Amino acid sequence: MPGPPLSPQTQRRLDRVFDEALRPLAAQLLVDACGHNLPFCEKSDMFALERIRFAALKFSEGRLDKLREAVHIAQTDWRDVLVAAGFANDLTTHQDWLADESTSCD
């Protein structure tokens, strides 16, 4: 069963990180493999998953192979993806990543 859909903010960031042709595959990967199947996220909704999904997107650098790697890491321990993306030490820092349209993906 697929997980929660992407939140509007997750979709917006995905659209900024991935080329248009790759967006459907990236979105489907996040919905199917980065949701309720993550440890301790069985009841999380699309908004509660934003921090982890944003981290996976940032880690991916717009590449599907790296997104798959990030999702695989998250399935073992999603905290490792938060660390890799720089989102581990603050509960809200992920909200600033790509929040401003003029901000680059870095």
Side-chain angles (χ1 to χ4, degrees):
M1 174 164 49
L6 301 183
S7 71
Q9 290 299 321
T10 304
Q11 183 65 55
R12 192 164 77 73
R13 284 162 175 80
L14 184 146
D15 290 347
R16 296 209 42 223
V17 172
F18 278 92
D19 289 332
E20 187 173 357
L22 298 176
R23 290 175 192 160
L25 293 171
Q28 197 63 51
L29 179 60
L30 289 177
V31 170
D32 291 345
C34 193
H36 290 153
N37 61 323
L38 300 179
F40 308 107
C41 294
E42 296 82 7
K43 296 180 182 179
S44 298
D45 65 13
M46 70 174 88
F47 303 106
L49 290 166
E50 281 184 342
R51 188 169 172 227
I52 299 167
R53 287 175 168 176
F54 285 17
L57 287 169
K58 184 175 181 188
F59 182 92
S60 78
E61 299 174 339
R63 295 178 33 198
L64 280 177
D65 61 328
K66 290 192 72 173
L67 182 61
R68 285 186 192 97
E69 180 183 355
V71 168
H72 178 74
I73 292 168
Q75 289 172 343
T76 302
D77 190 336
W78 47 262
R79 296 172 297 181
D80 292 335
V81 176
L82 297 179
V83 170
F87 297 161
N89 295 326
D90 186 313
L91 294 175
T92 61
T93 193
H94 68 285
Q95 295 169 349
D96 294 332
W97 177 68
L98 295 183
D100 179 358
E101 291 297 325
S102 65
T103 305
S104 72
C105 295
D106 298 325

